[in-house]
Amino acid sequence: MVAPRLRFAPSPTGFLHVGGARSALYNWLTARRTGGAFVLRIEDTDDERNREEWVDDLADALRWLGLDWDEYYRQSSRGDLYAAAARQLEESGHTYWCECTREAIDARAKERGGPPGYDGFCRDRDLGPGDGRVVRFRTPREGATVVPDVVRGNPSFENSTIEDFVLVRSNGKAMFILANAVDDGDMRMTHVVRGEEHLPNTPKYLLLWDALGYGEHPVFAHLPLLVNEKRQKLSKRRDPVAVEQYREEGYLPDVMVNFLALIGWGPGDGREKLTREELIAEFRLEDVGSSPGFFDVAKLRSFNGDAIRALSAADFVAAALPFLERAPWSDRLDRTTFERIAPLVQERVAVLSEVVPMVDFLFLDEPEIEQASWDKTMKGDAAGVLDGVLAAYESVTWEPDALKDALTAVGEAAGLKLAKAQAPVRVAVTGRTVGPPLFESLEVLGRDRVLARLRAARSRL
RNA sequence: GGCCCCAUCGUCUAGUGGCCUAGGACACCACCCUCUCAAGGUGGAGACACGGGUUCGAAUCCCGUUGGGGCUGCCA
């Protein structure tokens, strides 16, 4: 048996779509398990989608996910191959030239009152090449084409329902369907794993495949679509779909991979947290489900938080640092200071970008006071608490337990529980009502800066 | 309109004729823990779209209905 060959064939659109990432992942997992090849093929036959930086972004995102490829191709540099295939098809009588404009096609359809689409007007006119003419495939009028698909069963399409589709544009360039089939044939692909939106195209692909004599059909796996909460295909206009976006928010690549694998597939025994190695060993295209999946960001967040908490302290610091280095105050960032508070932050964030607002008070000269937090806490007994704490913290031993005891005592004197008494102190020092444990935060910040902030807050009351 | 796909808790799913008074996870609710927020613990609510068959027996098989989705470009 020949080694499997699989490919991810994205069109550059400026970012890696999560649906595309899942297709890439399923291909990659299958290739890695079977010792086959994973091919990255950029489908850039449309000039408008052929921007270098877009291609780079795609590759970067794939690398970030850890999906490495064994071979790399660009359709834009394989035009000769498509032209040769088109000639071969013309010589074997599988194609014909057509001069119908879109307008003419639509007008005839409207006149007929029938369904929209091409009617085969030029099929028997025996036209030659010429200005504005395209090459169409002469679709068989009889028979049916079956798509061998491990997730859909084997859907069958009546050839009579497939119109004579365009293979070569009037500018001489190959259409997606031609380039796609020719490349898969030329590259000897054994599996085609892609989104369900390609299913209706597949009979055309197979008709071409046979006409070109490529032999045995590849095995298909048309993956269920990823949908939004309205059950529609994830769209870049409405939904957060860019893998790069999740990367910037601080999702871990392994979590992304794990989560993507789980939309439409599972190991069958209820386990949900799987390592990359487990995924490679256990993933099977045959076990992929067939109903659409919702990309549930809340669940992704939960998984990510779990994974962050599972990191070693050193790994967490390393993972968080790039996010801190992008903060506006990064010039004052001090790694040692961050390391002191890091373990307390680690268990409180679900995504890495959340680290920044949780520790900024350590690096800013003045804490960034959130107005809502201020309004909520700086009233009632706040002034008395601040006065009391100010006095106590002048001389208290500067370590968490002592700081806590002192504040507790101040609160009790005013008849306040610690939960209540700590609030104005927290806001005065960190600017927010939520954050890492207060007394450890105070310890790291240091007595002088804490006292200064408490005084500043007190004077603003 | 035509062609095709899909249908278990809100979501991702387990379930492949009896183990199902349908299991897990995320989300949600309550309580516990607690210096805030998380995390953690305990408990709770929550689904087989509908109608016909087949069968001793159906979430599981078949048909239909309804609902949802995709495709229908000289985009990919």
Side-chain angles (χ1 to χ4, degrees):
Chain A
M1 180 194 158
V2 291
R5 292 177 57 77
L6 299 97
R7 84 308 195 274
F8 176 52
S11 167
T13 54
F15 59 90
L16 178 59
H17 189 287
V18 289
R22 187 186 53 157
S23 296
L25 174 64
Y26 285 14
N27 276 291
W28 183 85
L29 289 171
T30 305
R32 291 295 169 263
R33 172 173 57 81
T34 58
F38 176 59
V39 174
L40 174 60
R41 186 174 76 219
I42 307 295
E43 305 220 325
D44 52 359
T45 52
D46 180 8
D47 291 335
E48 290 180 19
R49 298 196 192 179
N50 197 2
R51 305 234 313 248
E52 280 314 304
E53 66 267 31
W54 287 359
V55 176
D56 292 343
D57 290 346
L58 219 40
D60 280 347
L62 249 14
R63 270 189 287 263
W64 177 69
L65 288 171
L67 307 183
D68 57 326
W69 51 92
D70 306 304
E71 298 170 27
Y72 177 81
Y73 303 95
R74 295 283 289 271
Q75 283 191 331
S76 54
S77 63
R78 295 167 60 82
D80 292 351
L81 202 65
Y82 314 137
R87 273 196 306 279
Q88 184 189 333
L89 290 169
E90 184 176 10
E91 282 160 17
S92 57
H94 285 98
T95 64
Y96 62 90
W97 291 87
C98 171
E99 62 178 1
C100 297
T101 60
R102 186 74 240 169
E103 294 70 38
I105 294 168
D106 289 344
R108 283 201 300 272
K110 198 172 178 188
E111 208 172 297
R112 281 200 310 277
Y118 184 63
D119 56 1
F121 187 77
C122 297
R123 186 171 167 115
D124 299 312
R125 293 177 68 200
D126 205 25
L127 296 172
D131 221 28
R133 290 181 183 174
V134 299
V135 175
R136 286 185 183 271
F137 187 76
R138 196 184 295 277
T139 305
R141 291 281 161 86
E142 318 245 299
T145 300
V146 175
V147 178
D149 189 305
V150 295
V151 338
R152 307 273 146 201
N154 301 316
S156 175
F157 297 77
E158 291 296 328
N159 292 334
S160 60
T161 64
I162 305 169
E163 69 174 28
D164 288 351
F165 50 99
V166 175
L167 290 181
V168 183
R169 302 163 157 105
S170 58
N171 68 6
K173 289 204 170 183
M175 292 284 291
F176 155 79
I177 190 72
L178 210 215
N180 190 250
V182 167
D183 275 336
D184 284 349
D186 181 66
M187 295 174 189
R188 314 305 310 167
M189 290 300 160
T190 59
H191 295 68
V192 174
V193 181
R194 62 202 333 187
E196 191 196 338
E197 70 268 24
H198 287 289
L199 186 54
N201 274 324
T202 308
K204 299 177 186 172
Y205 169 112
L206 255 13
L207 255 12
L208 283 173
W209 185 277
D210 290 342
L212 288 163
Y214 288 134
E216 197 182 336
H217 292 165
V219 171
F220 293 85
H222 283 104
L223 310 176
L225 255 23
L226 254 33
V227 298
N228 60 24
E229 47 287 300
K230 284 155 75 183
R231 300 264 106 196
Q232 291 166 323
K233 183 163 85 160
L234 239 36
S235 124
K236 68 171 168 181
R237 284 195 59 121
R238 300 182 298 252
D239 311 300
V241 296
V243 168
E244 291 87 336
Q245 193 176 334
Y246 289 95
R247 176 185 186 173
E248 279 164 27
E249 278 183 51
Y251 287 90
L252 269 21
D254 284 345
V255 173
M256 204 67 195
V257 162
N258 187 168
F259 185 69
L260 248 15
L262 249 30
I263 308 179
W265 177 84
D269 57 8
R271 279 176 302 143
E272 293 197 305
K273 306 291 177 63
L274 298 155
T275 65
R276 198 171 286 261
E277 291 65 36
E278 288 169 330
L279 289 172
I280 290 173
E282 300 183 43
F283 178 81
R284 293 290 185 286
L285 288 172
E286 296 73 31
D287 298 335
V288 173
S290 50
S291 50
F294 173 62
F295 190 84
D296 187 353
V297 180
K299 186 157 182 172
L300 211 213
R301 267 183 70 84
S302 169
F303 274 33
N304 204 61
D306 288 344
I308 284 176
R309 270 172 250 116
L311 254 23
S312 71
D315 285 348
F316 173 69
V317 169
L321 235 31
F323 290 82
L324 298 174
E325 283 160 359
R326 267 185 270 142
W329 39 261
S330 61
D331 54 321
R332 275 164 288 175
L333 172 63
D334 173 67
R335 184 179 175 134
T336 310
T337 302
F338 175 60
E339 280 171 345
R340 292 178 67 193
I341 201 91
L344 299 172
V345 174
Q346 180 173 3
E347 49 188 282
R348 290 177 165 73
V349 296
V351 295
L352 262 7
S353 60
E354 289 171 353
V355 172
V356 176
M358 212 164 264
V359 302
D360 63 352
F361 73 95
L362 288 170
F363 305 106
L364 291 164
D365 290 336
E366 304 278 327
E368 199 174 298
I369 308 268
E370 280 184 357
Q371 194 57 46
S373 298
W374 179 275
D375 294 343
K376 203 164 92 185
T377 56
M378 293 300 182
K379 56 188 183 186
D381 302 305
V385 169
L386 291 181
D387 284 335
V389 170
L390 233 13
Y393 281 7
E394 288 283 356
S395 57
V396 72
T397 307
W398 204 253
E399 56 87 23
D401 284 344
L403 290 164
K404 180 182 180 180
D405 291 344
L407 211 178
T408 304
V410 169
E412 277 171 358
L416 296 172
K417 289 193 168 176
L418 183 53
K420 192 88 179 164
Q422 60 91 38
V425 177
R426 182 183 291 279
V427 171
V429 175
T430 73
R432 298 184 171 83
T433 51
V434 305
L438 180 60
F439 305 107
E440 284 79 357
S441 298
L442 300 180
E443 182 188 33
V444 175
L445 227 206
R447 192 192 307 262
D448 292 347
R449 296 171 78 192
V450 169
L451 292 177
R453 290 179 188 192
L454 291 172
R455 275 187 218 105
R458 178 65 184 86
S459 69
R460 280 182 58 196
L461 281 176

